[in-house]
Amino acid sequence: MEIKNQVLDAIKKVGQPVNAGKVVELTKLDRKEVDKAMKMLKDEGLIVSPKRCFWEAK
């Protein structure tokens, strides 16, 4: 599974806004990989930030 998809699935599974640290904890991926995947998801409009440093699936 592509890292970007793993990150998106983890964000969806929680069901509430999460920060990158929580995504790292859930996916067991490297922080840099998670940050990169979250940037791609944000650029594609698949995640949004309801408050600073927290993200949720759109």
Side-chain angles (χ1 to χ4, degrees):
M1 181 184 278
E2 195 176 330
I3 292 172
K4 187 171 72 169
N5 292 335
Q6 286 181 305
V7 170
L8 184 58
D9 288 345
I11 292 171
K12 285 180 180 178
K13 198 176 290 183
V14 173
Q16 62 184 357
V18 294
N19 60 15
K22 183 69 172 176
V23 175
V24 168
E25 187 180 305
L26 293 169
T27 60
K28 308 286 191 249
L29 295 169
D30 183 61
R31 175 65 184 247
K32 287 183 181 185
E33 291 176 336
V34 169
D35 288 341
K36 194 165 141 184
M38 288 179 76
K39 182 185 181 327
M40 286 190 286
L41 290 167
K42 180 185 74 156
D43 291 345
E44 293 172 15
L46 296 173
I47 60 174
V48 293
S49 180
K51 61 182 180 178
R52 185 181 165 113
C53 297
F54 282 80
W55 298 91
E56 64 185 2
K58 194 168 184 183

